Amino acid sequence: PMFHDATHVAVAASRFGMTITMQVFDDCPPLIAYPANTSIHPALAALLADAQRECLPALARVTGTHALMLDAMELPAGGEATPQIAGLGRWTRLRVGAGGRLSGLLHAEAEALPFVDGSFSAVLIRFAAGCDPMPGRLAGEAARVLAPHGLLLVVEMHPRSLWRPWLRARQRRKDAVPGVAAPAHWRRSLRACGLTIRGTRRCGAPWPRARGVQGLPAWVRGYGGAYLIEACKRDHAGVVQRLQPLRPRGAVEHSPWASGAHRTRVIGG
């Protein structure tokens, strides 16, 4: 149907569960209606929240104000877009789409981030393996824009967990679910970019659970459905030393005799 007023379009779209995207062209109407995104599953929303809380202690040690987040998941209702860290308050969040294409505040490719070298004190990559089957491309650009002594965090679904059957069932239903990637693939790619791996640990609930890790014993949390990799960028900086003036050294007189030979020298008559 044809609509000539923005109010008419908004009312009609709300009846069918649709959202409105404004886009201005010279030769066509500026109103385009798209279907609204479906809500994220409660178990997956709990996993995202648990993984984000697991990143907070590592991000709290970062010295800097700017951070980059490359995320492949939709935000749950009421969820926080970026981790809330005192001091690290200026986040740039980009959505990782199919084929490694980035969208959000700007559009770019995974192998060509539009940022200068060393722009961010921290980089967080979350569930990007399902969109880009080659993590080395994204890891190389993330390492490039990471500042010296910066922190890089990678959160992915572990291939060996009780989440795997649930994810496959959701994929057959065409639901938006994260892909899985072995931790060794990411560690190999990060080391190839010159980063130092600090550690890898599991996080989240071991199986799909709407309450996440709440109420689970500590030993069960070690088999979480996701994992977190911490890597840092260490540049070898030269130590500047003050040059000391050379002290004059006296001339050394060499005797033709060996040391102590004058004591045993016999003078003949």
Side-chain angles (χ1 to χ4, degrees), residues 171-256:
Q171 288 176 352
R172 287 193 294 266
R173 296 174 53 182
K174 306 299 182 180
D175 293 345
V177 294
V180 296
H185 294 170
W186 272 106
R187 287 195 294 261
R188 190 181 306 112
S189 300
L190 295 176
R191 289 193 181 99
C193 300
L195 300 181
T196 303
I197 306 299
R198 285 184 175 178
T200 304
R201 60 181 180 272
R202 304 283 284 265
C203 58
W207 57 84
R209 192 168 183 262
R211 298 176 59 189
V213 297
Q214 183 180 0
L216 294 178
W219 67 271
V220 175
R221 300 180 186 181
Y223 300 93
Y227 62 88
L228 171 65
I229 298 179
E230 293 187 28
C232 59
K233 187 176 185 180
R234 299 186 182 275
D235 289 352
H236 299 284
V239 179
V240 180
Q241 296 182 350
R242 180 180 299 179
L243 298 179
Q244 299 291 339
L246 296 178
R247 298 179 180 179
R249 301 178 61 182
V252 179
E253 297 182 0
H254 298 279
S255 175

Side-chain angles (χ1 to χ4, degrees), residues 47-65:
L47 179 67
L48 296 177
D50 293 337
Q52 186 154 306
R53 281 193 296 268
E54 194 71 21
C55 298
L56 296 182
L59 293 174
R61 300 191 300 265
V62 175
T63 57
T65 57

Side-chain angles (χ1 to χ4, degrees), residues 128-158:
C131 301
D132 192 354
M134 300 177 60
R137 301 188 305 174
L138 191 59
E141 280 297 288
R144 181 185 64 82
V145 301
L146 187 64
H149 305 284
L151 179 67
L152 190 145
L153 301 179
V154 177
V155 179
E156 293 285 359
M157 296 297 297
H158 203 283

Side-chain angles (χ1 to χ4, degrees), residues 87-157:
L88 195 65
R90 298 183 179 182
W91 283 85
T92 300
R93 183 178 182 271
L94 298 180
R95 173 77 184 277
V96 183
R101 295 181 178 89
L102 304 178
S103 60
L105 297 177
L106 47 86
H107 296 268
E109 298 292 334
E111 61 270 12
L113 294 178
F115 305 108
V116 298
D117 298 354
S119 302
F120 302 98
S121 301
V123 177
L124 174 58
I125 303 175
R126 195 169 68 166
F127 303 112
C131 301
D132 192 354
M134 300 177 60
R137 301 188 305 174
L138 191 59
E141 280 297 288
R144 181 185 64 82
V145 301
L146 187 64
H149 305 284
L151 179 67
L152 190 145
L153 301 179
V154 177
V155 179
E156 293 285 359
M157 296 297 297

Side-chain angles (χ1 to χ4, degrees), residues 3-13:
F3 301 96
H4 301 282
D5 186 70
T7 305
H8 295 167
V9 177
V11 173

